[in-house]
C-alpha cells in the first residue's frame, strides 16, 4: 500500500462542475490549472474527489492508457507506475503517476482530464465527439468521424462571425436544462491540410503531439476574429459525411440513424445511465441533417 501525505489541495471547476484534488505534487495542481483555468462554478452538484500520488521514477509510457470499465468502475492503465482507478457512481478518482508523467502532457490529457470528464459523463452530462458553433445564441452540433472536417468547419464558421464553443468536444447537460450544450472553446486543433483552406495559418505554430500526430494547436484567445462561449442552447445536429465524388449537399437525417452514430462513438455505461444518455443524445433535437462534402 502506498503511503503519501496529500497536503497540496485545490478546487477546480471543469465545465462548471466542482472537482477537489488532493496530491503530494504541485505539478498535478499546475496541470489542473492549465486544463481548467478560467472556469468558475456553474452547477450546484456534489464535488468530484480526486487523489493523485506522484511516486517512483520512470519514463512517460510510449502509448495511450488501456481503458476498461464494468458497471461503475473504470481503470486507466499506462503501465505499472502510471494508472488511474475511478468509482464513477461516487464521483471518486485515484491515480498514481511518476514525476515525469505528472509534468507531461500525457498526464493532463490521458489521466487527469479523462478521469474527470468520464466521471461527469456518468453522473451529470452526455459527452459527444462533436464540435459546436452558435449564431444569435442558438447552437449547431457538428458531428462526424475523425477527419470528417469538424474542426475546419468550426474554424470557418468562426471566421464568418459565428461563436465557437468547441471544435470536437461537446457535453449535453442532462435534465431539466433542455438542450444546453457545454463546450471547450479555449483551443482549436487543425490538421496540416487546413493550410489549403486557410492560408493565414501558415504563420501558426505547428505542434507535434505524442505518437507523431501533427496538429496546429491554436489558442482562440490569440485569434483576433474569434468569438467564443462556453454554453448555449442547441437546436440542430449536422453529421459531416466526407466523400470523394459528387456535389456537396445537405440532407435530412432520421432519428434512428443519428442515434446509431452517436452511440457508436461514445462511452457505453450499464443501465440506467445508458438510457439517460440515449434520451439526451437525440430526442431533444428537432433538426437532424447529414452534410455530404
Amino acid at each position: 500500500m502506498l503511503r503519501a501525505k496529500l497536503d497540496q489541495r485545490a478546487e477546480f471547476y471543469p465545465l462548471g462542475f466542482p472537482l477537489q484534488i488532493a496530491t503530494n505534487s504541485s505539478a498535478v495542481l499546475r496541470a489542473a490549472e492549465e486544463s481548467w483555468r478560467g472556469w468558475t462554478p456553474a452547477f450546484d452538484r456534489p464535488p468530484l474527489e480526486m487523489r493523485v500520488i506522484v511516486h517512483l521514477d520512470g519514463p512517460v509510457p510510449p502509448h495511450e492508457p488501456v481503458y476498461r470499465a464494468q458497471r461503475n468502475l473504470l481503470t486507466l492503465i499506462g503501465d505499472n507506475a502510471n494508472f488511474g482507478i475511478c468509482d464513477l457512481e461516487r464521483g471518486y478518482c485515484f491515480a498514481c503517476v511518476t514525476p515525469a508523467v505528472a509534468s507531461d502532457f500525457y498526464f493532463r490529457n490521458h489521466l487527469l482530464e479523462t478521469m474527470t470528464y468520464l466521471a461527469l459523463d456518468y453522473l451529470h452530462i452526455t459527452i459527444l465527439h462533436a464540435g459546436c458553433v452558435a449564431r444569435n445564441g442558438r447552437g449547431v452540433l457538428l458531428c462526424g468521424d475523425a477527419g470528417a472536417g469538424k474542426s475546419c468547419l468550426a474554424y470557418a464558421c468562426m471566421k464568418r462571425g459565428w461563436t465557437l464553443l468547441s471544435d470536437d468536444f461537446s457535453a449535453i447537460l442532462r435534465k431539466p436544462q433542455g438542450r444546453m450544450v457545454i463546450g471547450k472553446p479555449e483551443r482549436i486543433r487543425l490538421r496540416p491540410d487546413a493550410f489549403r483552406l486557410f492560408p493565414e495559418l501558415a504563420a501558426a505554430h505547428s505542434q507535434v503531439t505524442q505518437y507523431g500526430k501533427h496538429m496546429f494547436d491554436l489558442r482562440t484567445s490569440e485569434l483576433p476574429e474569434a468569438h467564443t462561449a462556453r454554453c448555449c442552447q442547441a437546436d440542430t445536429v449536422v453529421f459531416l459525411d466526407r466523400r470523394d465524388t459528387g456535389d456537396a449537399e445537405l440532407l435530412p437525417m432520421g432519428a434512428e440513424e443519428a442515434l446509431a452514430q452517436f452511440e457508436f462513438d461514445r462511452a457505453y455505461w450499464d443501465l440506467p445511465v445508458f438510457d439517460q444518455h440515449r434520451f439526451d443524445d437525440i430526442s431533444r433535437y428537432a433538426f437532424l441533417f447529414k452534410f455530404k462534402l
Side-chain angles (χ1 to χ4, degrees):
M1 180 180 296
L2 290 172
R3 293 182 179 271
K5 186 177 181 181
L6 306 182
D7 56 354
Q8 302 197 44
R9 299 171 180 267
E11 185 162 276
F12 301 92
Y13 299 95
L15 307 185
F17 296 91
L19 165 67
Q20 297 174 350
I21 298 179
T23 181
N24 62 333
S25 170
S26 59
V28 170
L29 300 185
R30 287 196 300 271
E33 176 69 17
E34 177 67 20
S35 291
W36 300 306
R37 180 188 302 115
W39 286 92
T40 56
F43 306 107
D44 184 16
R45 303 289 194 277
L48 303 180
E49 180 184 358
M50 182 182 296
R51 299 182 183 182
V52 182
I53 295 178
V54 178
H55 71 133
L56 303 178
D57 286 312
V60 176
H63 50 75
E64 297 182 15
V66 175
Y67 305 98
R68 294 290 184 267
Q70 281 292 314
R71 293 189 177 177
N72 59 304
L73 299 180
L74 168 72
T75 62
L76 309 86
I77 309 298
D79 57 28
N80 64 346
N82 298 281
F83 58 87
I85 302 171
C86 302
D87 183 339
L88 300 170
E89 193 169 53
R90 295 177 179 269
Y92 174 78
C93 305
F94 166 69
C96 284
V97 297
T98 62
V101 166
S103 300
D104 191 86
F105 178 75
Y106 185 99
F107 170 67
R108 186 161 62 86
N109 189 55
H110 295 305
L111 291 171
L112 176 68
E113 292 188 4
T114 299
M115 290 192 297
T116 299
Y117 292 138
L118 287 179
L120 291 175
D121 184 74
Y122 191 93
L123 293 169
H124 306 307
I125 60 178
T126 298
I127 294 176
L128 303 177
H129 182 206
C132 185
V133 292
R135 188 81 166 183
N136 299 323
R138 312 305 297 182
V140 178
L141 286 166
L142 306 175
C143 306
D145 297 333
K150 298 184 294 296
S151 295
C152 278
L153 183 54
Y155 180 78
C157 289
M158 185 175 63
K159 286 189 61 178
R160 296 292 297 270
W162 288 58
T163 298
L164 173 75
L165 279 86
S166 183
D167 67 324
D168 69 352
F169 175 105
S170 298
I172 304 171
L173 191 62
R174 293 195 218 157
K175 291 190 290 185
Q177 279 80 10
R179 293 186 294 268
M180 180 180 287
V181 174
I182 310 169
K184 296 196 299 180
E186 293 80 13
R187 285 182 167 87
I188 184 168
R189 288 181 177 172
L190 299 168
R191 295 169 184 258
D193 58 7
F195 273 151
R196 295 185 290 104
L197 299 173
F198 313 113
E200 73 273 13
L201 294 179
H205 174 65
S206 178
Q207 173 179 312
V208 180
T209 61
Q210 282 187 316
Y211 320 120
K213 187 177 181 180
H214 296 260
M215 302 289 286
F216 293 104
D217 187 29
L218 306 178
R219 290 181 179 269
T220 52
S221 61
E222 299 174 357
L223 301 175
E225 70 274 23
H227 298 279
T228 63
R230 285 179 170 155
C231 63
C232 73
Q233 294 289 326
D235 296 320
T236 306
V237 180
V238 177
F239 288 87
L240 306 184
D241 181 14
R242 177 168 289 185
R243 59 183 183 177
D244 296 329
T245 60
D247 296 329
E249 55 183 336
L250 186 66
L251 305 172
M253 189 174 189
E256 286 304 314
E257 182 183 358
L259 182 60
Q261 292 203 34
F262 272 139
E263 291 178 352
F264 179 78
D265 197 32
R266 52 161 286 102
Y268 179 87
W269 306 122
D270 289 342
L271 298 175
V273 178
F274 174 78
D275 281 342
Q276 294 171 12
H277 283 303
R278 199 172 199 271
F279 175 83
D280 287 341
D281 277 346
I282 201 66
S283 63
R284 300 183 183 191
Y285 295 93
F287 306 102
L288 303 169
F289 300 97
K290 179 183 289 186
F291 184 25
K292 294 192 174 183
L293 305 175

